[in-house]
Amino acid sequence: MSAGLFITFEGGEGGGKSTQARILAERLRAADHEVVLTREPGGSPGAEALRNLLLEGDADRWSPLSETLLMYAARRDHLERTILPALTAGKVVVCDRFYDSTRAYQGAAGGVDPGVIAALEDAVVGRHAPDLTLVFDLPVETVLARAAERGAAEARFESKGRAFHERLRAAFLEIARREPARCVLIDADRPVEAMSDAIWTAVEASLSKAILR
Ligand SMILES: Nc1ncnc2c1ncn2[C@@H]1O[C@H](COP(=O)(O)OP(=O)(O)OP(=O)(O)O)[C@@H](O)[C@H]1O
Ligand SMILES: [Mg+2]
């Protein structure tokens, strides 16, 4: 049985994470890997119910700390019921957002104490950190243009202003800079195919490492 691999997609809004996660899942399946494509918040029945509470309603429905705790309740359920069983079975888990989004959205942009978030990471995720995190980077101009084009249905996060998106971008860049062994920065201001080729190169390198460990 092959070793499981846990891959996460991170970054601000509209960088193409969901598009690329789908492409990667197909490419992995074509290469005979068993793949679980999942997302946060959500990815298990309980976490999907929490997702609806988190993404619907007014932008100030939850305080950043309440939001963090709901995200972590959802994350624990997702890990226990979806991610860990798949990894144990040797599958590749492709997850659209994970704990870096909590650091960036609720922490850096929302003002939640990074110490509180770090304690939750330890308690809830512990040693099950992602093997590879693809951090999508996009100028805020492009983020706002794509959001306007889409007319965004799940508007709670996207209705926030330019300064919010600048803080998010800086936070994700900082995560990638501080954790180079886990993170690969993906320039998202390029055509879909150029991005998926860069992602495949990073994933192949991680798969080779997983076989050796
Ligand atoms: N490389 C690209 N160049 C231009 N447009 C793109 C590219 N990739 C995706 N898009 C378009 O940008 C929009 C956002 O893409 P997608 O939903 O994949 O991003 P996302 O990072 O998952 O966004 P969110 O954070 O809101 O979930 C979609 O309309 C998609 O078609
Ligand atoms: Mg998405």
Side-chain angles (χ1 to χ4, degrees):
M1 194 171 67
S2 62
L5 193 72
F6 183 18
I7 304 170
T8 57
F9 282 67
E10 295 279 11
E13 255 106 76
K17 297 179 298 301
S18 302
T19 304
Q20 294 294 335
R22 276 193 298 272
I23 293 171
L24 175 62
E26 281 171 26
R27 209 157 171 173
L28 283 164
R29 286 182 184 126
D32 278 341
H33 293 279
E34 282 195 86
V35 179
V36 172
L37 176 60
T38 186
R39 65 170 182 185
E40 289 211 346
S44 62
E48 288 289 330
L50 287 166
R51 177 187 178 94
N52 293 332
L53 290 175
L54 278 159
L55 299 189
E56 288 167 2
D58 296 336
D60 63 355
R61 180 179 188 182
W62 305 107
S63 76
L65 181 56
S66 305
E67 201 164 74
T68 301
L69 297 170
L70 286 167
M71 288 287 183
Y72 263 95
R75 184 159 298 136
R76 184 65 207 180
D77 195 64
H78 185 208
L79 267 170
E80 286 177 4
R81 294 171 194 263
T82 303
I83 297 173
L84 297 180
L87 292 175
T88 302
K91 297 178 185 174
V92 180
V93 174
V94 176
C95 187
D96 188 349
R97 293 193 181 280
F98 193 62
Y99 65 5
D100 297 310
S101 286
T102 308
R103 292 189 199 173
Y105 281 75
Q106 285 74 43
V112 173
D113 179 352
V116 169
I117 293 176
L120 286 165
E121 283 181 14
D122 275 354
V124 173
V125 180
R127 63 192 172 84
H128 306 296
D131 298 296
L132 171 66
T133 297
L134 301 155
V135 179
F136 285 42
D137 184 54
L138 198 58
V140 171
E141 287 305 323
T142 317
V143 173
L144 296 173
R146 286 192 193 170
E149 262 173 46
R150 284 200 291 175
E154 288 171 344
R156 273 201 66 230
F157 291 105
E158 300 188 2
S159 62
K160 299 185 179 177
R162 171 182 299 269
F164 174 81
H165 291 286
E166 295 285 6
R167 277 198 292 276
L168 276 184
R169 185 183 191 197
F172 281 114
L173 286 173
E174 178 66 8
I175 290 166
R177 194 186 65 76
R178 287 172 68 156
E179 295 185 58
R182 172 171 68 92
C183 299
V184 173
L185 199 61
I186 299 292
D187 173 4
D189 204 6
R190 308 187 268 178
V192 168
E193 200 173 306
M195 290 177 66
S196 52
D197 286 346
I199 289 165
W200 187 247
T201 301
V203 168
E204 279 190 314
S206 282
L207 282 167
S208 312
K209 269 194 269 170
I211 288 165
L212 293 175
R213 79 185 170 208

